[in-house]
Amino acid sequence: MQDNINAIPIETSNLRIYVIRINNEIVILANGGIKSTITYNEDPHLNAIVELLQKINMYLNSRLRNSKIHYYQKNLYGDLNFYLKDQQDEK
């Protein structure tokens, strides 16, 4: 899947912090955890974090395409309120 989710490399530890990169000036700092596997997909905790960030990224991209939000310099403007159902909410 092509998305804007990136891990911040931390050379001195196994900590992984993920971000959503909107452009060269706007990065949304997200969540992370201890990297104990080669890929995030192999770790249930990190995989859940990245999947949530992918949903948020899709929402933001949709809003940007529909001009419901926009960015200017280092700020996002517009309707940035949204609710994502947790998979446990659906049960």
Side-chain angles (χ1 to χ4, degrees), residues 2-82:
Q2 177 66 26
D3 57 39
N4 298 326
I5 311 304
N6 300 107
I8 297 174
I10 299 176
E11 302 287 328
T12 59
S13 78
N14 289 334
L15 182 63
R16 275 301 166 260
I17 298 175
Y18 293 97
V19 300
I20 300 173
R21 184 174 180 263
I22 303 297
N23 63 25
N24 288 337
E25 296 182 329
I26 300 174
V27 175
I28 299 172
L29 182 63
N31 202 343
I34 302 298
K35 182 179 179 184
S36 60
T37 59
I38 304 248
T39 67
Y40 70 80
N41 306 81
E42 299 171 70
D43 182 305
H45 176 72
L46 294 179
N47 191 57
I49 289 169
V50 172
E51 285 180 354
L52 175 61
L53 295 177
Q54 288 170 335
K55 288 179 186 178
I56 294 169
N57 183 58
M58 286 177 21
Y59 167 81
L60 290 171
N61 285 336
S62 172
R63 289 278 173 144
L64 285 164
R65 278 192 306 275
N66 295 330
S67 299
K68 293 186 179 183
I69 63 174
H70 65 280
Y71 55 84
Y72 177 69
Q73 294 178 349
K74 297 181 181 180
N75 296 298
L76 284 173
Y77 298 97
D79 184 8
L80 298 170
N81 296 316
F82 60 96

